[in-house]
Amino acid sequence: MEERLRAIALGVNTKEQGEDFEYSMLELKGLAEARHIDVMAEMTQNLPKRNHVHYIGKGKIDELLPLIEETEADVLIANDELSPSQIRVLEEKLDIRVMDRTMLILDIFAERAKTREAQLQVEVAQLQYMLPRLVGRRESLGRQGGGSGLANRGAGETKLELDRRRIEDNISALNKELEALVELRKTQRKQRKKSGLPIVSLVGYTNAGKSTTMNALIETFNPGDNKQVFEKDMLFATLDTSVRNITLPDNKVFLLTDTVGFVNKLPHHLVKAFRSTLEEVAEADLIIHVVDYSDPHHETLMKVTNETLDDIGVGDIPVIYAFNKAELVDEAMVAKVVNDRIYLSAKQRKGIDELVEVIKSYIFKDYKKCEMLIPFSQGQLISYFNEHANVIHTEYEENGTKLTVECRSADYEKYQEYVVQ
């Protein structure tokens, strides 16, 4: 088993961060925990802006030295994305490995990625992050051959260029493989669209309970379907997109998709690399924004998710809010519906029926209620409506079978000749 690293969390609180700073430091510790790193101490500093040379002020660097010795820390984790030079300066002055928030998130994604597509996406993001930081790696500047002065410098630069070209070639090859998978995903999306089934997409901050909500819907409406998704109380438990078919008691069917969770300061390399996965959301007819209602900062987290959704261009898709873990705040709120907000407990499977009723009011607007008289010779149509529509009442008459049915507009138009009212 890998030995856990010991770390010091480091953060700079600038004016624009305000109240969110405290939460982002708390979240940094959660990210470190997800990467199996123990945070032994924390150091923060209030500054008008981050120091462009070494991130924190000179005085704080002097304060850090005894703290590193006292905690026997192996790594320093900064709460922001650092420039290559900031990392190099901190490592030289403190003689300790330095990670930034982006590197930490990329490491977690690399560890959790299960499908080939997710693995490629993470690898591309890691290489793109590494590319401008090559200059900071001492081993990349290793002198080749003897000599002195310019001869040495030239050899080092050549080595750096070779490294850079190797990474660029690698990114290009990975992107080519990724493109093939993206095309496959597009084909699958087209087929889903062609099926005419509405698509409902779960989004939300990481660990809000999206996978638990998906499993609650599968268990409630498809109990025999052994297609539950992985769920665990930790940041970024799942990275892979899951698609499940949900069949309701009235034979209405929709596709439910679950995507990667969002996080504050989600590295732009990752957003770019995961764009094809996030585009699943852009194809949805309805978005369910799952919120951890028990988190005192849930409004901030909602804002982060909404900003990420704006970045991928899904502003015109209707959104309903599922306030999960409501039982931890107020048991009386569970299963309540207030406009486009549903309070539920996905873990306790409470409020799921109410959630589905709200979903139905958005995605099944094109259903028509009518009566049809179907001749006995067209018995296959009776089977079809029993399977694909909500048959409210069946009556047998001289000329055929009379159905009171709620069906899709497309079926209503197609079988118009049998409609009696």
Side-chain angles (χ1 to χ4, degrees), residues 43-228:
M43 185 173 278
T44 61
Q45 185 174 21
N46 297 322
L47 288 174
K49 60 178 184 177
R50 297 173 198 102
N51 186 303
H52 71 280
V53 179
H54 29 63
Y55 181 57
I56 48 174
K58 282 183 182 174
K60 282 289 174 188
I61 288 179
D62 295 335
E63 283 180 45
L64 267 171
L65 285 163
L67 188 62
I68 290 167
E69 204 172 313
E70 185 192 321
T71 56
E72 298 179 344
D74 309 291
V75 61
L76 196 65
I77 305 175
N79 192 31
D80 297 280
E81 184 168 318
L82 302 182
S83 70
S85 61
Q86 284 172 325
I87 291 174
R88 190 169 67 249
V89 168
L90 284 171
E91 286 187 340
E92 281 172 2
K93 287 189 178 294
L94 297 166
D95 194 27
I96 189 174
R97 183 182 163 205
V98 175
M99 283 179 94
D100 62 14
R101 189 184 180 98
T102 300
M103 207 186 298
L104 188 60
I105 293 172
L106 286 170
D107 271 7
I108 296 166
F109 270 57
E111 189 183 297
R112 302 275 162 80
K114 295 286 182 284
T115 64
R116 181 61 185 152
E117 186 181 11
Q119 287 163 351
L120 286 169
Q121 286 166 326
V122 174
E123 208 174 329
V124 166
Q126 283 179 316
L127 290 171
Q128 284 171 334
Y129 171 82
M130 196 193 298
L131 202 54
R133 287 162 176 77
L134 271 181
V135 73
R137 289 169 57 214
R138 295 183 190 95
E139 65 269 25
S140 298
L141 298 168
R143 305 292 184 239
Q144 295 174 0
S148 61
L150 288 173
N152 273 353
R153 193 180 67 191
E157 283 172 350
T158 307
K159 174 82 166 70
L160 184 64
E161 287 306 315
L162 277 170
D163 283 355
R164 184 168 280 141
R165 193 156 56 244
R166 211 170 282 138
I167 287 180
E168 283 169 348
D169 289 346
N170 206 349
I171 289 172
S172 182
L174 291 169
N175 273 330
K176 208 167 271 184
E177 192 181 339
L178 198 50
E179 272 166 35
L181 292 171
V182 168
E183 281 307 311
L184 180 65
R185 186 181 281 285
K186 278 183 186 168
T187 306
Q188 288 169 339
R189 278 208 296 260
K190 270 182 195 163
Q191 285 169 344
R192 288 205 290 270
K193 277 284 180 193
K194 216 180 273 182
S195 74
L197 294 179
I199 298 167
V200 177
S201 195
L202 291 163
V203 302
Y205 210 78
T206 180
N207 211 27
K210 295 188 312 302
S211 297
T212 311
T213 303
M214 185 177 229
N215 285 340
L217 284 158
I218 293 168
E219 193 182 286
T220 306
F221 299 103
N222 299 31
D225 190 349
N226 192 23
K227 286 191 175 176
Q228 299 238 322

Side-chain angles (χ1 to χ4, degrees), residues 283-295:
E283 297 289 323
D285 298 289
L286 175 68
I287 290 170
I288 301 174
H289 182 162
V290 182
V291 179
D292 178 356
Y293 189 46
S294 68
D295 192 314

Side-chain angles (χ1 to χ4, degrees), residues 16 50 57 59-60 68 72 116 134 177 191 199 218 233 239 246 261 268 277 298 304 309 319 332 363 367 378 395 405:
E16 74 265 14
R50 297 173 198 102
K60 282 289 174 188
I68 290 167
E72 298 179 344
R116 181 61 185 152
L134 271 181
E177 192 181 339
Q191 285 169 344
I199 298 167
I218 293 168
D233 184 14
L239 299 184
I246 305 293
H268 68 277
T277 306
H298 68 267
V304 171
L309 289 173
V319 179
I363 61 172
Y367 270 64
Q378 297 292 325
E395 211 176 306
V405 66

